C-alpha cells in the first residue's frame, strides 16, 4: 500500500451538522465525491479534519466511516497523533483495526519536545503497528519542527514510510528529499508547493483545497506525470486566488465556508474556530464567482 500513497491525497474536512455533531452520512458522500474525482488517497483527521477538536469516540467513527466507504479503492490515511505517546499509540492501534491503510502522526504540541524526544515518540508509535506511518510536520501549529537529521533517523525504521511537510519551507522539503532514502515518500502539505515538490523528486501532496476542487488538484499530478508541465503549472497557479483567502482567518474555516458556498453541505467548524462574518462570507463568494464558478 505504501507504493500507492502518492499523487494527490485529500486532506478531508469532517462534516458537521448545525449542532456541531459529526455528520457521517455527509462524510460518506464526500468520500464518494472525492474518489469519483480521481483522488489518489484520502486523509481523515488531519488539520482540515479538525482532529484537534474531536473526541476519541468521534475519531474512531470517522476512521471507520471513511475506510468502509473507500472499501480499498484508494488508500486511507488516518491522523492518530496525540499530545502523549501513550494516547498516540492507543489511537494508532485502533485505526489499524478499523481499516486505515496508513497513519499520519503529527508532532506533539503545546509542550515543546526535543528532537530526541520526538524521535522516541515516533519510534514508539511505529513499533506498535504494522501499517505505514507518515510523519506530519506542521511547526506553525505544534511549535516544533522536525529536523532533517531526525527525519533521516526515523526513515530507517521499516514502517515509517514518509512525511507530510506543512512548514511552507520549500528548502526543507528539498533537504528531506535529498537526505532521506529513495523509498521514503515526501509529500507537500502546502497546496501551493505540490508541483514544485513533484519536480524536486517528491511524490505529491496532501491537499485541503481538494475538498473544493478535487479535479483541479488531481490534474496537477496527472499532467505532471505525463510531462505536460505548462498545463500542470496552469492548474497549480489556478488555486492561488482561493488560497489567498486564508488571510481572512483560520484556513479550516475558509475551506468549510467555501465548500458550503459551492453546494457541499459540510457544515461549520467546531467552535470557537468558526465565523459567519458577513464580510468574510461575501469576499469568499466573490472570489469563487470571479475565479472559479464563471470559468466552469
Amino acid at each position: 500500500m505504501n507504493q500507492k500513497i502518492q499523487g494527490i491525497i485529500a486532506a478531508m474536512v469532517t462534516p458537521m451538522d448545525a449542532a456541531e455533531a459529526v455528520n457521517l452520512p455527509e462524510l460518506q458522500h464526500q468520500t464518494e465525491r472525492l474518489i469519483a474525482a480521481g483522488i489518489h488517497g484520502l486523509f481523515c483527521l488531519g488539520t482540515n479534519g479538525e482532529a484537534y477538536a474531536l473526541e476519541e469516540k468521534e475519531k474512531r467513527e470517522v476512521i471507520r466511516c471513511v475506510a468502509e466507504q473507500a472499501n480499498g479503492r484508494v488508500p486511507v490515511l488516518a491522523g492518530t497523533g496525540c499530545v502523549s505517546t501513550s494516547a498516540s499509540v492507543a489511537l494508532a492501534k485502533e485505526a489499524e483495526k478499523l481499516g486505515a491503510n496508513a497513519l499520519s502522526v503529527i508532532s506533539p504540541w503545546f509542550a515543546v519536545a526535543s528532537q530526541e524526544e520526538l524521535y522516541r515518540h515516533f519510534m514508539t508509535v511505529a513499533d506498535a503497528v504494522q501499517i505505514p506511518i507518515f510523519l506530519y510536520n506542521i511547526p506553525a501549529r505544534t511549535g516544533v519542527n522536525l529536523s532533517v537529521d531526525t527525519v533521516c533517523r526515523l526513515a530507517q525504521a521499516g514502517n515509517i514510510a514518509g512525511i507530510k511537510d506543512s512548514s511552507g519551507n520549500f528548502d526543507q522539503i528539498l533537504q528531506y528529499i535529498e537526505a532521506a532514502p529513495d523509498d521514503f515518500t515526501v509529500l507537500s502539505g502546502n497546496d501551493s508547493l505540490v508541483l514544485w515538490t513533484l519536480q524536486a523528486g517528491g511524490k505529491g501532496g496532501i491537499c485541503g483545497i481538494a475538498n473544493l476542487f478535487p479535479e483541479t488538484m488531481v490534474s496537477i499530478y496527472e499532467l505532471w506525470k505525463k510531462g505536460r508541465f505548462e498545463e500542470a503549472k496552469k492548474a497549480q497557479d489556478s488555486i492561488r486566488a482561493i488560497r489567498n483567502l486564508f488571510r481572512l482567518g483560520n484556513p479550516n474555516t475558509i475551506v468549510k465556508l467555501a465548500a458550503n458556498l459551492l453546494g457541499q453541505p459540510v457544515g461549520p467548524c467546531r467552535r470557537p474556530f468558526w465565523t459567519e462574518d458577513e464580510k468574510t462570507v461575501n469576499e469568499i463568494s466573490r472570489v469563487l464567482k470571479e475565479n472559479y464558478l464563471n470559468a466552469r
Side-chain angles (χ1 to χ4, degrees):
M1 184 59 71
N2 180 33
Q3 298 304 313
K4 299 179 183 178
I5 298 176
Q6 57 186 355
I8 304 301
I9 298 155
M12 299 179 73
V13 300
T14 300
M16 295 182 185
D17 63 23
E20 299 180 11
V22 175
N23 185 343
L24 293 177
E26 184 58 29
L27 183 58
Q28 291 174 319
H29 169 72
Q30 291 300 320
T31 300
E32 284 298 322
R33 168 179 169 253
L34 291 167
I35 292 174
I39 211 77
H40 305 107
L42 300 167
F43 172 35
C44 61
L45 299 180
T47 304
N48 276 277
E50 299 175 74
Y52 51 82
L54 298 181
E55 303 294 333
E56 185 176 342
K57 179 182 178 183
E58 293 173 317
K59 291 180 181 181
R60 293 197 301 268
E61 290 174 344
V62 167
I63 296 168
R64 180 186 292 108
C65 178
V66 176
E68 289 182 355
Q69 194 68 33
N71 195 28
R73 289 175 290 172
V74 296
V76 172
L77 288 79
T80 59
C82 302
V83 174
S84 73
T85 303
S86 59
S88 300
V89 166
L91 188 55
K93 288 181 176 179
E94 282 293 316
E96 186 173 31
K97 292 176 184 176
L98 291 168
N101 303 114
L103 307 177
S104 170
V105 182
I106 193 171
S107 301
W109 58 94
F110 190 80
V112 178
S114 69
Q115 293 297 307
E116 183 61 30
E117 287 168 331
L118 290 170
Y119 173 78
R120 293 200 302 268
H121 171 79
F122 286 112
M123 286 300 298
T124 301
V125 178
D127 288 341
V129 294
Q130 300 298 313
I131 55 179
I133 287 177
F134 284 75
L135 311 172
Y136 183 5
N137 188 48
I138 182 167
R141 303 294 183 98
T142 64
V144 64
N145 183 61
L146 276 168
S147 73
V148 175
D149 288 345
T150 299
V151 170
C152 287
R153 287 179 69 194
L154 290 166
Q156 305 305 315
N159 62 331
I160 296 184
I163 186 168
K164 173 192 177 185
D165 183 77
S166 297
S167 68
N169 181 347
F170 186 59
D171 184 64
Q172 181 165 263
I173 288 178
L174 292 176
Q175 291 186 59
Y176 288 154
I177 294 170
E178 293 165 1
D182 290 342
D183 61 351
F184 188 78
T185 299
V186 177
L187 299 167
S188 173
N190 184 318
D191 295 29
S192 296
L193 295 177
V194 171
L195 180 58
W196 314 114
T197 298
L198 289 166
Q199 283 288 95
K203 296 298 193 297
I206 298 180
C207 305
I209 299 299
N211 291 287
L212 307 178
F213 307 114
E215 293 89 352
T216 298
M217 298 309 300
V218 167
S219 74
I220 296 172
Y221 179 76
E222 295 296 344
L223 289 166
W224 171 83
K225 192 167 63 171
K226 294 174 183 175
R228 294 158 61 180
F229 177 79
E230 289 302 322
E231 292 170 85
K233 185 177 181 297
K234 185 177 179 180
Q236 176 72 80
D237 292 345
S238 74
I239 69 169
R240 183 172 296 121
I242 191 70
R243 281 189 55 83
N244 283 345
L245 290 172
F246 290 176
R247 72 184 187 279
L248 299 177
N250 175 25
N252 312 32
T253 302
I254 303 306
V255 168
K256 270 195 167 178
L257 281 169
N260 287 313
L261 288 168
L262 289 168
Q264 301 300 326
V266 297
C269 292
R270 187 161 283 177
R271 289 169 175 80
F273 309 105
W274 183 241
T275 182
E276 294 176 345
D277 174 70
E278 185 177 355
K279 290 183 179 179
T280 299
V281 173
N282 288 343
E283 178 63 7
I284 295 171
S285 181
R286 181 191 68 78
V287 169
L288 290 174
K289 288 177 182 177
E290 291 182 1
N291 295 277
Y292 302 103
L293 299 182
N294 291 338
R296 292 184 173 185

